[in-house]
Amino acid sequence: MKKIILTPMEENKYNIIKELVDHSGNKHRAALKLNCSLRNINRLMKRYKSEGKSAFSHGNRGRLPSNTFSLETKHQIIELYINEYLDANITHFSEIVQSELGIFIRDTTIRNWLSEYDVLSP
């Protein structure tokens, strides 16, 4: 079985709902503790009964955002800048990447990537 790790906030929510379900506590008091509505308490109780502790961990945990560039693309662009365009500033280089590779990347993104390798714009 996979061990479920919750953040302190999620752990607090889990403990309150668990107590509520196990000992048939007061829903109004739980709603006040969690600063949410009774409808939300009922929804959390239902999810706890069906999924257990895993119902309280965020669904996107461990996933990369959908608009993330691949590591391969990132390394390709960094190598291109270091090997061929070291004398170009980063704003100009982002325009070069768009025209040559057809990839639109903002200059701030390239600047952040290059700062990880201690490369500065001239």
Side-chain angles (χ1 to χ4, degrees), residues 69 90 105-115:
F69 289 101
I90 294 176
I105 301 178
R106 296 203 180 273
D107 57 335
T108 53
T109 304
I110 295 174
R111 186 173 287 112
N112 291 336
W113 288 352
L114 292 172
S115 69

Side-chain angles (χ1 to χ4, degrees), residues 81 84-94 96 114 119-122:
Y81 183 80
E84 295 181 29
Y85 295 101
L86 198 57
D87 56 340
N89 68 27
I90 294 176
T91 305
H92 182 238
F93 178 67
S94 67
I96 292 171
L114 292 172
V119 178
L120 300 175
S121 181

Side-chain angles (χ1 to χ4, degrees), residues 4-17:
I4 299 165
I5 299 172
L6 300 176
T7 63
M9 210 161 126
E10 293 169 342
E11 187 75 36
N12 181 40
K13 191 181 293 187
Y14 165 73
N15 290 331
I16 291 171
I17 297 298

Side-chain angles (χ1 to χ4, degrees), residues 4 16-17 24 28 35 38-39 42 50 65 70 103 107 118:
I4 299 165
I16 291 171
I17 297 298
S24 63
H28 292 282
N35 194 24
L38 285 176
R39 182 175 186 268
N42 290 330
S50 66
S70 67
I103 302 171
D107 57 335
D118 297 325

Side-chain angles (χ1 to χ4, degrees), residues 47-97:
R47 283 189 67 198
Y48 171 73
K49 289 177 184 175
S50 66
E51 300 174 33
K53 192 173 184 177
S54 64
F56 295 92
S57 66
H58 194 276
N60 282 340
R61 182 173 291 155
R63 295 183 189 163
L64 289 176
S66 62
N67 59 352
T68 305
F69 289 101
S70 67
L71 288 176
E72 181 180 300
T73 304
K74 178 180 175 180
H75 291 301
Q76 177 187 4
I77 291 173
I78 290 170
E79 287 178 18
L80 182 67
Y81 183 80
I82 292 172
N83 294 334
E84 295 181 29
Y85 295 101
L86 198 57
D87 56 340
N89 68 27
I90 294 176
T91 305
H92 182 238
F93 178 67
S94 67
E95 295 168 358
I96 292 171
V97 168

